[in-house]
Amino acid sequence: KLSVDTGAKGTKVSPDLYGVFYEDINHAADGGLYAELVQNRSFEFDSVDEPSYTGLTAWSKAERGATVTPAVTGEDPLNPNNRNYLRLDVTGQGTAGVRNAGFNRGLPLVKGERYDFSVWARRAEAGPLTITVEDGSTVLGTMTVRVKAGGWAKYRASFTASGTTDAGRLVVQAPAGRTDLDMVSLFPRRTFKGHGMRADLAQLIADLKPRFLRFPGGCVTNVGTYDPYAETGDRRRIYQWKETIGPVEERPTNFNFWGYNQSYGIGYYEYFQFAEDIGAEALPVLSVGVNGCGENRPLTDEAKLARWVRDTLDLIEFANGPVTSTWGRKRAEMGHPKPFGLEYIGLGNEEIYPEFFTNYPKFANAIRARYPDIKIISNAGQTSQGAWFDRMWQFARDQKADLVDEHYYNNPDWFLANNHRYDAYDREGPKVFVGEYASRGNTFFNALAEASYMTGLERNSDVVRLASYAPLLANVDYVDWTPDLIWFDNDEAYGSPSYHVQRLFSTNVGERVVPSTFEGEGRPVEDIKGAIGLGAWNTAVRYDDVKVTAADGTVLLSDDFSAGAGKWTPGPGTWAVQDGAYAQSAQVEDARSTAGSADWSNYTIEATARKTAGAEG
Ligand code: AHR
């Protein structure tokens, strides 16, 4: 029997409770939410960053009668931020040039849809460029642009696709002579609300009806070569919002924390615009110059720190200032005279180092003095960071931060067991922003555990004001981190089970949570823990948190198998992981080969097992 005390006042649910946390991880931007179809459009890939990169990554030669020598060079570039471009030296009759492979299988086209091409080009003598999009020998679109003699200039063309493909190639050909090309770009005309985001991915996010958009990420915001103002040669700069606004050809490419090039095609202006387009509050997170995510190379130079603080104030002016202000004018020039109405700002992401205690007040005090209405979010790192987490929390209390950003990635059991986590939180101190959380795995069971946990967030939403699952997006071919909320390739996307739980909750937010009680037979999730002998493995049981220890104490395998289902198939010599358990499958194989195929009795195997319906044993 379920009894609900409808007359009770209950807890008022935070109107902003459910939002999204966007990070450029797993190619969430380039090859993801950013609708650009061309990979390495500005020829900035370089083996200095990543051994497999070259200036011609994703590009290859395409010769149609003439021959070509393509070379990436930096001599007299388009501008100092855009260091490299492509030089085509074409000889002979006919044309020759290059072909771009796009992301995943190639460039996706939909029959009847319109596509917009643009390029910056330079030729000593005038001459035409022929641009085609091809799928094998089938041409699905053709365009021509006439390059004038002289310096760099931008050219545009468009076409309607005559067929559908997910494996197209963009081919750009030039006549004989030298042609320089940069910012070779192809966009679908149809993007989300016409603002450059891939429509299906943006729609999946919008369908969550998120109340806030935390951006531009976690570790991607606060880890980089730690001089934000290094003048030259720094290819891994920490995320600086000012580098990401203005004309795209003037935004630098940065090699990001997650190990790939980030074009900044989606920059701060686009984040603000996207937040507005999905009806969410923009919630930017900025580093205070301390690092985190395993790195501690703090910014201690006082002059540079002062500049960093000024840049942070300028960001608020960029979002909220009138068009007569310096940064408000830049926002207006980009197309949004009306202020974006920024209310929250995050200071630091998992910046759990002593310098945080010195740097944070410089930023927070300056913001409080100039913009007293902005709510400041401090950060506590991950709960697994133990004493540091507590220290960071105490610091946030002392500093009277408005909210504290907590992060945790735990097993589903933890989520089931910690429904009451916030019941005892201090109601007088800073409020909580659960800025990153997920149970490890993308199965239905994970989603169920999260749903159970989220009832505790709602019940305590007088303290927990904001919460966002993390990470949001993952391209199936460029995975840095699992689990993720939305998976996609170049032309398809779907929500994980956790996505559907988030959507169910965030599109059905009540006003109050009133007390309720349940009487009757509880049917808890069956949870068997402890040592499990080999004979007990059962295909109908899912094993998580598997740890295999040799007699001498060596841990051969210790991991969570819940990602990608993670079932084990038992049987002599057939140990394997089913259903694509990503990195973990390799680890199982390692453990198996280290252990040898014969006698497992010398090894201790511990696991958490969950019976699925009807399982025996
Ligand atoms: O969400 C993935 C990462 O987890 C974030 O970048 C970071 O903040 C956290 O450690």
Side-chain angles (χ1 to χ4, degrees), residues 499-546:
Y499 170 87
H500 294 284
V501 161
Q502 291 292 323
R503 186 161 160 178
L504 190 65
F505 275 68
S506 65
T507 55
N508 293 284
V509 182
E511 282 170 19
R512 319 189 79 84
V513 179
V514 292
S516 59
T517 52
F518 175 73
E519 285 168 48
E521 192 196 343
R523 308 199 65 172
V525 176
E526 222 165 322
D527 201 7
I528 309 158
K529 286 197 167 181
I532 298 172
L534 208 54
W537 293 101
N538 183 319
T539 45
V541 176
R542 214 192 58 211
Y543 300 97
D544 291 338
D545 310 322
V546 180

Coordinates of all heavy atoms in Angstrom, one line a residue, residues 499-546:
Y499 N 19.7 7.8 -20.8 CA 19.1 9.0 -21.5 C 17.6 9.0 -21.2 O 17.0 10.0 -20.9 CB 19.4 9.0 -23.0 CG 18.6 10.0 -23.8 CD1 19.1 11.3 -23.9 CD2 17.4 9.7 -24.3 CE1 18.4 12.2 -24.6 CE2 16.7 10.6 -25.0 CZ 17.2 11.9 -25.2 OH 16.5 12.8 -25.9
H500 N 17.0 7.8 -21.4 CA 15.5 7.8 -21.2 C 15.1 8.0 -19.8 O 14.1 8.6 -19.6 CB 15.0 6.5 -21.8 CG 15.2 6.4 -23.3 ND1 14.5 7.1 -24.2 CD2 16.2 5.9 -24.0 CE1 14.9 7.0 -25.4 NE2 16.0 6.2 -25.3
V501 N 15.9 7.6 -18.8 CA 15.6 8.0 -17.4 C 15.7 9.5 -17.2 O 14.9 10.1 -16.6 CB 16.6 7.2 -16.5 CG1 16.6 7.8 -15.1 CG2 16.1 5.7 -16.4
Q502 N 16.8 10.1 -17.7 CA 17.0 11.5 -17.6 C 15.8 12.2 -18.2 O 15.3 13.2 -17.6 CB 18.3 12.0 -18.2 CG 19.6 11.5 -17.6 CD 19.8 12.1 -16.2 OE1 19.5 13.3 -16.0 NE2 20.3 11.4 -15.2
R503 N 15.4 11.8 -19.3 CA 14.3 12.4 -20.0 C 13.0 12.3 -19.3 O 12.2 13.3 -19.2 CB 14.2 11.9 -21.5 CG 13.3 12.6 -22.3 CD 13.6 12.2 -23.8 NE 12.4 12.5 -24.6 CZ 12.4 12.3 -25.9 NH1 13.5 11.9 -26.5 NH2 11.4 12.6 -26.7
L504 N 12.8 11.1 -18.8 CA 11.5 10.8 -18.0 C 11.5 11.8 -16.8 O 10.4 12.4 -16.6 CB 11.6 9.4 -17.5 CG 10.3 8.8 -16.9 CD1 9.2 8.8 -17.9 CD2 10.6 7.4 -16.4
F505 N 12.6 11.9 -16.1 CA 12.6 12.8 -14.9 C 12.5 14.3 -15.3 O 11.7 15.0 -14.8 CB 13.8 12.6 -14.1 CG 13.7 11.4 -13.1 CD1 13.6 10.1 -13.6 CD2 13.7 11.6 -11.8 CE1 13.5 9.0 -12.7 CE2 13.5 10.6 -10.9 CZ 13.4 9.3 -11.4
S506 N 13.3 14.7 -16.3 CA 13.4 16.1 -16.6 C 12.2 16.7 -17.3 O 12.0 17.9 -17.3 CB 14.7 16.5 -17.3 OG 14.7 15.9 -18.6
T507 N 11.4 15.8 -17.9 CA 10.2 16.3 -18.6 C 9.0 16.1 -17.7 O 7.9 16.4 -18.1 CB 10.0 15.6 -20.0 OG1 10.0 14.2 -19.7 CG2 11.1 16.0 -20.9
N508 N 9.2 15.7 -16.5 CA 8.1 15.5 -15.6 C 8.4 16.0 -14.2 O 8.3 15.3 -13.2 CB 7.7 14.0 -15.5 CG 7.1 13.5 -16.8 OD1 6.0 13.7 -17.1 ND2 7.9 12.8 -17.6
V509 N 8.9 17.2 -14.1 CA 9.3 17.7 -12.8 C 8.1 18.3 -12.1 O 7.4 19.1 -12.6 CB 10.3 18.9 -13.0 CG1 10.8 19.4 -11.6 CG2 11.5 18.4 -13.8
G510 N 7.9 17.8 -10.9 CA 6.8 18.3 -10.1 C 7.2 19.5 -9.4 O 8.3 20.0 -9.4
E511 N 6.2 20.1 -8.7 CA 6.5 21.3 -7.9 C 7.0 21.0 -6.5 O 7.8 21.7 -6.0 CB 5.2 22.2 -7.8 CG 4.9 22.9 -9.1 CD 3.6 23.6 -9.1 OE1 3.0 23.7 -8.0 OE2 3.1 23.9 -10.2
R512 N 6.4 19.9 -5.9 CA 6.8 19.6 -4.5 C 6.9 18.1 -4.4 O 6.2 17.4 -5.1 CB 5.7 20.1 -3.5 CG 5.1 21.4 -3.8 CD 4.2 21.8 -2.7 NE 5.0 22.4 -1.6 CZ 5.5 23.6 -1.5 NH1 5.2 24.5 -2.5 NH2 6.2 24.0 -0.5
V513 N 7.8 17.7 -3.5 CA 7.8 16.2 -3.1 C 7.1 16.1 -1.8 O 7.7 16.7 -0.8 CB 9.2 15.7 -3.1 CG1 9.2 14.2 -2.7 CG2 9.9 15.9 -4.4
V514 N 6.0 15.4 -1.7 CA 5.3 15.3 -0.4 C 5.7 13.9 0.2 O 6.1 13.0 -0.6 CB 3.8 15.4 -0.5 CG1 3.5 16.9 -0.9 CG2 3.2 14.5 -1.6
P515 N 5.6 13.8 1.5 CA 6.0 12.5 2.1 C 5.2 11.3 1.7 O 4.0 11.5 1.4 CB 5.9 12.7 3.6 CG 5.7 14.2 3.8 CD 5.2 14.7 2.5
S516 N 5.7 10.2 1.6 CA 5.0 9.0 1.2 C 5.5 7.8 2.0 O 6.7 7.8 2.3 CB 5.0 8.7 -0.3 OG 6.4 8.6 -0.7
T517 N 4.7 6.8 2.2 CA 5.2 5.5 2.8 C 4.7 4.4 2.0 O 3.6 4.5 1.3 CB 4.7 5.4 4.3 OG1 3.3 5.6 4.3 CG2 5.3 6.4 5.2
F518 N 5.4 3.3 2.1 CA 5.0 2.1 1.4 C 4.9 0.9 2.4 O 5.8 0.7 3.2 CB 6.1 1.8 0.3 CG 5.8 0.5 -0.4 CD1 4.8 0.4 -1.3 CD2 6.6 -0.6 -0.2 CE1 4.6 -0.8 -2.0 CE2 6.4 -1.8 -0.8 CZ 5.4 -1.9 -1.7
E519 N 3.8 0.2 2.3 CA 3.7 -1.0 3.2 C 3.5 -2.2 2.2 O 2.7 -2.1 1.3 CB 2.4 -0.9 4.0 CG 2.5 0.0 5.2 CD 1.1 0.3 5.8 OE1 0.4 -0.7 6.0 OE2 0.8 1.4 6.0
G520 N 4.1 -3.3 2.6 CA 4.0 -4.5 1.7 C 5.3 -5.2 1.5 O 6.3 -4.8 2.1
E521 N 5.3 -6.2 0.7 CA 6.5 -6.9 0.5 C 7.4 -6.1 -0.4 O 7.1 -5.8 -1.6 CB 6.1 -8.3 -0.1 CG 7.3 -9.2 -0.1 CD 7.0 -10.4 -1.0 OE1 5.8 -10.6 -1.5 OE2 8.0 -11.1 -1.4
G522 N 8.6 -5.8 0.1 CA 9.6 -5.2 -0.7 C 10.1 -6.2 -1.7 O 10.2 -7.3 -1.4
R523 N 10.5 -5.7 -2.9 CA 11.1 -6.6 -3.9 C 12.4 -6.0 -4.3 O 12.5 -5.5 -5.4 CB 10.2 -6.8 -5.1 CG 8.8 -7.2 -4.6 CD 8.0 -7.9 -5.7 NE 8.6 -9.2 -6.1 CZ 8.0 -10.0 -6.9 NH1 6.9 -9.7 -7.4 NH2 8.6 -11.1 -7.2
P524 N 13.4 -6.0 -3.4 CA 14.7 -5.4 -3.7 C 15.4 -6.1 -4.8 O 15.2 -7.3 -5.0 CB 15.4 -5.4 -2.4 CG 14.9 -6.6 -1.7 CD 13.4 -6.7 -2.1
V525 N 16.3 -5.4 -5.4 CA 17.2 -6.0 -6.4 C 18.0 -7.0 -5.7 O 18.6 -6.7 -4.6 CB 18.1 -4.9 -7.0 CG1 19.1 -5.5 -8.0 CG2 17.2 -3.8 -7.7
E526 N 18.0 -8.2 -6.2 CA 18.8 -9.2 -5.6 C 20.3 -8.9 -5.8 O 20.8 -8.7 -6.9 CB 18.5 -10.6 -6.1 CG 18.3 -11.6 -5.1 CD 17.6 -12.8 -5.6 OE1 16.7 -12.7 -6.4 OE2 18.0 -13.9 -5.2
D527 N 21.0 -9.0 -4.7 CA 22.4 -8.5 -4.8 C 23.3 -9.5 -4.0 O 23.2 -9.6 -2.8 CB 22.5 -7.1 -4.2 CG 23.7 -6.3 -4.7 OD1 24.4 -6.8 -5.6 OD2 24.0 -5.3 -4.2
I528 N 24.0 -10.2 -4.7 CA 24.9 -11.2 -4.1 C 26.3 -10.8 -4.1 O 26.8 -10.5 -5.2 CB 24.7 -12.6 -4.8 CG1 23.3 -12.9 -5.1 CG2 25.5 -13.7 -4.1 CD1 23.1 -13.9 -6.2
K529 N 26.9 -10.7 -3.0 CA 28.3 -10.2 -3.0 C 29.2 -11.3 -2.3 O 28.7 -12.1 -1.5 CB 28.4 -9.0 -2.2 CG 27.9 -7.8 -2.9 CD 28.4 -6.5 -2.3 CE 28.1 -5.4 -3.3 NZ 28.6 -4.1 -2.8
G530 N 30.4 -11.3 -2.6 CA 31.3 -12.2 -1.9 C 32.1 -13.0 -2.9 O 32.1 -12.9 -4.1
A531 N 32.9 -14.0 -2.4 CA 33.7 -14.8 -3.2 C 32.8 -15.8 -4.0 O 31.9 -16.4 -3.4 CB 34.7 -15.6 -2.3
I532 N 33.1 -15.9 -5.2 CA 32.2 -16.8 -6.0 C 33.2 -17.8 -6.7 O 34.1 -17.4 -7.4 CB 31.5 -16.0 -7.1 CG1 30.5 -15.0 -6.5 CG2 30.7 -17.0 -8.0 CD1 29.9 -14.1 -7.5
G533 N 32.9 -19.1 -6.5 CA 33.8 -20.1 -7.1 C 33.5 -20.2 -8.6 O 32.5 -19.8 -9.0
L534 N 34.4 -20.8 -9.3 CA 34.3 -20.9 -10.7 C 33.0 -21.6 -11.1 O 32.3 -21.1 -12.1 CB 35.5 -21.7 -11.2 CG 35.9 -21.4 -12.6 CD1 36.2 -19.9 -12.8 CD2 37.2 -22.2 -12.9
G535 N 32.6 -22.6 -10.4 CA 31.4 -23.4 -10.7 C 30.2 -22.5 -10.7 O 29.2 -22.9 -11.3
A536 N 30.2 -21.4 -9.9 CA 29.0 -20.7 -9.8 C 28.7 -19.7 -10.9 O 27.6 -19.1 -11.0 CB 29.0 -19.9 -8.5
W537 N 29.7 -19.5 -11.8 CA 29.4 -18.5 -12.9 C 28.2 -19.0 -13.7 O 28.1 -20.2 -14.0 CB 30.6 -18.4 -13.8 CG 31.8 -17.8 -13.2 CD1 32.9 -18.4 -12.7 CD2 32.0 -16.4 -12.9 NE1 33.7 -17.5 -12.1 CE2 33.2 -16.2 -12.3 CE3 31.2 -15.2 -13.2 CZ2 33.7 -15.0 -11.9 CZ3 31.7 -14.0 -12.8 CH2 33.0 -13.9 -12.2
N538 N 27.4 -18.2 -14.1 CA 26.2 -18.6 -14.7 C 25.8 -17.5 -15.8 O 25.9 -16.3 -15.5 CB 25.1 -18.6 -13.6 CG 23.7 -19.0 -14.2 OD1 23.3 -18.6 -15.2 ND2 23.0 -19.8 -13.4
T539 N 25.5 -18.0 -17.0 CA 25.3 -17.0 -18.1 C 24.1 -16.1 -17.8 O 24.0 -15.1 -18.4 CB 25.1 -17.7 -19.4 OG1 24.2 -18.8 -19.2 CG2 26.3 -18.2 -20.0
A540 N 23.2 -16.6 -16.9 CA 22.0 -15.7 -16.7 C 22.3 -14.7 -15.6 O 21.4 -14.0 -15.1 CB 20.9 -16.6 -16.3
V541 N 23.5 -14.7 -15.1 CA 23.9 -13.7 -14.0 C 24.9 -12.7 -14.6 O 25.8 -13.1 -15.3 CB 24.5 -14.5 -12.8 CG1 25.0 -13.5 -11.8 CG2 23.6 -15.5 -12.3
R542 N 24.7 -11.5 -14.3 CA 25.7 -10.5 -14.8 C 26.7 -10.2 -13.7 O 26.3 -9.9 -12.5 CB 25.0 -9.2 -15.1 CG 25.7 -8.6 -16.3 CD 25.2 -7.2 -16.5 NE 25.4 -6.4 -15.3 CZ 24.6 -5.4 -15.0 NH1 23.6 -5.1 -15.7 NH2 24.9 -4.7 -13.9
Y543 N 27.9 -10.2 -14.0 CA 29.0 -10.0 -13.0 C 29.6 -8.7 -13.2 O 30.1 -8.4 -14.3 CB 30.1 -11.1 -13.1 CG 29.5 -12.5 -12.9 CD1 29.1 -13.3 -14.0 CD2 29.3 -13.0 -11.6 CE1 28.6 -14.6 -13.8 CE2 28.8 -14.2 -11.4 CZ 28.4 -15.0 -12.5 OH 27.9 -16.3 -12.3
D544 N 29.7 -7.9 -12.1 CA 30.3 -6.6 -12.2 C 31.5 -6.6 -11.2 O 31.6 -7.5 -10.3 CB 29.4 -5.5 -11.8 CG 28.3 -5.3 -12.8 OD1 28.5 -5.6 -13.9 OD2 27.3 -4.7 -12.4
D545 N 32.3 -5.6 -11.2 CA 33.4 -5.4 -10.2 C 34.2 -6.7 -10.1 O 34.5 -7.1 -9.0 CB 32.8 -5.1 -8.9 CG 31.8 -3.9 -8.9 OD1 32.1 -3.0 -9.7 OD2 30.8 -4.0 -8.2
V546 N 34.6 -7.3 -11.2 CA 35.3 -8.5 -11.1 C 36.8 -8.3 -10.7 O 37.4 -7.4 -11.3 CB 35.2 -9.3 -12.4 CG1 36.0 -10.6 -12.4 CG2 33.8 -9.5 -12.8

